[in-house]
Amino acid sequence: RPWLQRRVDEYPKLMEANFNDLNVTRKVLEGILLNDNDAEREDVTNIILFEGVMIYLDEGVPHALLELCSDVLRKSHTANSNTSSSTTALGYLCFADRLENIPGGDEDAAHVEMESTGWELVDFLSKPGLARHMGVARIV
């Protein structure tokens, strides 16, 4: 369908990353968020979504992945800020997953885990099942 070719840049681009390989994941995320083509863009809010992903990652990786995401979002905000006084939110994390270091549905432990990885927990709920932690956090 030739008519689709000229619209290909309008569609989301899927990027492959093995989240157990944090170096590759960092490169992919930096490639998306630290793109030089965005130099003239207006401030944007980035949202990272994890739904049933961390359940399948190696031990220690979910914690490190939260740190990695907050770090790259901060770098992106610094690199792409149009003004030094920008008040735009750096980014949010929405999740329905099983986070590390949060036994059961302990909300206090959730706050500690999120703060230790660069996030401020805004809302948190727990439920039965594998993806037992649900919530929203923002970059601190």
Side-chain angles (χ1 to χ4, degrees), residues 7 13 21 41 43 57 81 84 98 107 131:
R7 297 188 69 150
K13 183 176 180 182
D21 186 336
R41 73 179 181 159
D43 285 337
L57 299 178
S81 286
S84 60
R98 184 181 65 221
E107 188 169 348

Side-chain angles (χ1 to χ4, degrees), residues 101-113:
N101 306 317
I102 305 173
D106 185 338
E107 188 169 348
D108 291 335
H111 280 278
V112 170
E113 175 68 4

